[in-house]
């Protein structure tokens, strides 16, 4: 598996990371703890050494499962551990933004405990808080780094303007944003910013919540509180547009590379920027098997342009990931 320095200071990780929002059970309607632990413990065998989680996934459960899996397998030195902060939740499951110093200080200690580690490799501000000056948030992150509790500072879902303001206080090592073949909004703003500042990009939603897996069909239903019930891409008539694009992309991948659409989607993402890391959500160990199809080939500029034309030709009413944003506090 390809690796990159994730913070510009010797912290190396695989360019494909395991995103544990699926394991947390908050976004995808439940989880099997034993299966989740096997998935995490099997990730390094597939070359996946970056594990990304957050306190809000399962309201602490995802971090606890990740910590348990790593501790039981004694694999802490094999992985780069990334988590987040600056979201809070109540007893009814309501989630709100809170990027105050007090909240971040508490979350750092809570995450260290749940993850069963002495240091978090990458801590990311999960969402910007419109009620808190980004510089106050940056000061809290810098304090955690100076105290040796975190190794690298990241922000997630920040605009270039917010990142620039944050950067006046603390260097941003990592920016995490939604990015995939169907959600390319950051091409216009965030991607130029991270290139200019040599910042690492963690792309979440790399397979667009399973749309780019090649396993979706028009009659697919999503149980319970599955996030996709609220994603406009999975509602008709848009759903058929995206599925048609997937079929065309799959045909292109097979004809030109003897690959499938899933392989193409991840390869496209990694080839957009040398310091991109693609987060791959998996519930079971076998869902990581396809990772082996990503290294060893690349897409040239002509291929990337044609892929963009295929998407634009089929998806005539595109929609971004805006629906995922949690509310601010009252």
């Amino acid at each position: 598996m390809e690796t990159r320095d994730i913070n510009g200071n010797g912290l190396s990780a695989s360019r494909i990371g395991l995103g544990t929002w699926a394991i947390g059970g908050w976004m995808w309607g439940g989880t099997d703890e034993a299966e989740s632990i096997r998935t995490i413990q099997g990730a390094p065998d597939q070359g996946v050494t970056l594990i990304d989680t957050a306190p809000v996934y399962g309201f602490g459960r995802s971090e606890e499962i990740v910590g348990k899996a790593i501790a039981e397998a004694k694999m802490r030195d094999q992985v780069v551990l990334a988590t987040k902060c600056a979201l809070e939740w109540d007893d009814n499951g309501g989630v709100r933004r809170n990027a105050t110093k007090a909240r971040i200080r508490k979350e750092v200690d809570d995450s260290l405990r749940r993850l069963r580690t002495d240091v978090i490799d990458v801590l990311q501000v999960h969402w910007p808080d419109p009620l808190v000056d980004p510089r106050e948030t940056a000061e809290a992150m810098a304090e955690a780094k100076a105290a040796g509790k975190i190794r690298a500072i990241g922000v997630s879902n920040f605009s270039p303007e917010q990142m620039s303001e944050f950067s006046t206080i603390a260097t941003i090592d990592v920016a995490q944003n939604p990015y995939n073949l169907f959600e390319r909004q950051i091409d216009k703003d965030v991607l130029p910013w991270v290139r200019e500042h040599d910042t690492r990009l963690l792309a979440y939603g790399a397979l667009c919540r399973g749309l780019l897996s090649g396993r979706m069909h028009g009659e697919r239903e999503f149980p319970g509180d599955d996030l996709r019930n609220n994603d406009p891409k999975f509602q008709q008539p848009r759903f058929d547009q995206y599925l048609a694009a997937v079929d065309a992309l799959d045909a292109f991948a097979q004809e030109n590379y003897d690959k499938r659409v899933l392989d193409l989607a991840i390869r496209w993402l990694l080839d957009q920027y040398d310091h991109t890391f693609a987060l791959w959500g998996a519930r079971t160990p076998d869902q990581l098997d396809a990772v082996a199809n990503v290294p060893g080939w690349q897409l040239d500029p002509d291929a990337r342009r044609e892929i963009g034309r295929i998407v634009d030709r089929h998806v005539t009413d595109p929609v971004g990931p805006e629906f995922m944003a949690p509310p601010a506090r009252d």
Side-chain angles (χ1 to χ4, degrees):
M1 176 53 59
E2 303 165 42
T3 62
R4 288 288 188 279
D5 186 329
I6 201 169
N7 70 338
N9 196 29
L11 188 62
S12 183
S14 59
R15 293 188 70 196
I16 293 179
L18 176 60
T20 65
W21 53 86
I23 287 169
W26 173 57
M27 299 172 72
W28 306 106
T31 191
D32 180 314
E33 180 174 320
E35 196 82 328
S36 297
I37 287 174
R38 284 193 292 272
T39 303
I40 295 165
Q41 292 177 342
D45 292 336
Q46 301 280 15
V48 176
T49 61
L50 172 62
I51 298 178
D52 179 82
T53 187
V56 76
Y57 304 153
F59 307 131
R61 190 178 180 204
S62 181
E63 284 191 331
E64 290 171 349
I65 291 174
V66 170
K68 181 178 180 180
I70 291 173
E72 286 183 351
K74 296 181 172 59
M75 54 185 278
R76 181 64 183 93
D77 60 348
Q78 299 178 46
V79 298
V80 170
L81 195 51
T83 192
K84 306 178 188 74
C85 62
L87 288 182
E88 62 183 8
W89 58 91
D90 58 35
D91 293 339
N92 297 318
V95 177
R96 296 173 298 275
R97 309 185 200 195
N98 186 344
T100 59
K101 273 189 177 183
R103 177 65 186 175
I104 290 173
R105 286 167 178 162
K106 180 181 186 304
E107 285 198 79
V108 170
D109 291 337
D110 287 346
S111 291
L112 287 167
R113 172 179 49 79
R114 286 192 289 254
L115 292 167
R116 306 189 193 187
T117 186
D118 296 327
V119 61
I120 296 164
D121 294 318
V122 184
L123 181 66
Q124 303 152 94
V125 182
H126 208 149
W127 285 85
D129 185 342
L131 302 182
V132 177
D133 189 323
R135 291 169 294 187
E136 175 185 339
T137 305
E139 286 175 359
M141 300 289 279
E143 288 173 5
K145 187 172 183 178
K149 295 182 178 182
I150 68 175
R151 290 195 172 107
I153 293 173
V155 297
S156 182
N157 303 298
F158 274 51
S159 69
E161 294 75 20
Q162 290 164 333
M163 289 191 287
S164 292
E165 192 169 3
F166 187 104
S167 295
T168 62
I169 302 298
T171 298
I172 297 174
D173 300 300
V174 172
Q176 183 172 151
N177 291 80
Y179 193 39
N180 57 65
L181 274 170
F182 292 150
E183 295 172 333
R184 294 172 287 169
Q185 288 81 357
I186 72 166
D187 281 339
K188 302 173 183 177
D189 48 23
V190 172
L191 194 54
W193 193 97
V194 298
R195 283 178 172 145
E196 179 183 350
H197 294 84
D198 196 32
T199 302
R200 279 52 180 160
L201 175 69
L202 266 65
Y204 74 82
L207 296 177
C208 200
R209 293 165 289 289
L211 260 179
L212 289 161
S213 68
R215 298 173 182 170
M216 290 283 176
H217 56 80
E219 290 73 42
R220 176 73 181 270
E221 295 183 357
F222 306 99
D225 60 353
D226 193 302
L227 182 72
R228 289 168 288 194
N229 286 318
N230 297 316
D231 186 340
K233 294 180 194 63
F234 293 85
Q235 316 302 319
Q236 296 294 5
R238 282 193 180 102
F239 196 18
D240 282 343
Q241 293 182 15
Y242 283 101
L243 291 175
V246 168
D247 288 343
L249 291 167
D250 192 50
F252 178 85
Q254 291 187 66
E255 180 179 346
N256 292 278
Y257 302 100
D258 194 26
K259 301 287 185 180
R260 302 307 300 262
V261 62
L262 184 154
D263 313 320
L264 185 78
I266 300 297
R267 189 68 261 170
W268 176 89
L269 194 55
L270 298 181
D271 288 347
Q272 294 297 103
Y273 173 48
D274 284 345
H275 296 304
T276 298
F277 298 77
L279 295 177
W280 185 305
R283 287 176 177 266
T284 60
D286 63 284
Q287 290 178 342
L288 289 173
D289 289 346
V291 169
N293 298 331
V294 176
W297 61 292
Q298 289 186 310
L299 297 169
D300 62 30
D302 288 341
R304 295 202 297 274
R305 281 190 288 270
E306 178 58 24
I307 289 167
R309 285 192 287 265
I310 291 171
V311 174
D312 293 341
R313 186 161 60 246
H314 288 88
V315 182
T316 59
D317 188 21
V319 62
E322 298 84 1
F323 74 98
M324 292 190 293
R329 287 160 290 141
D330 293 335

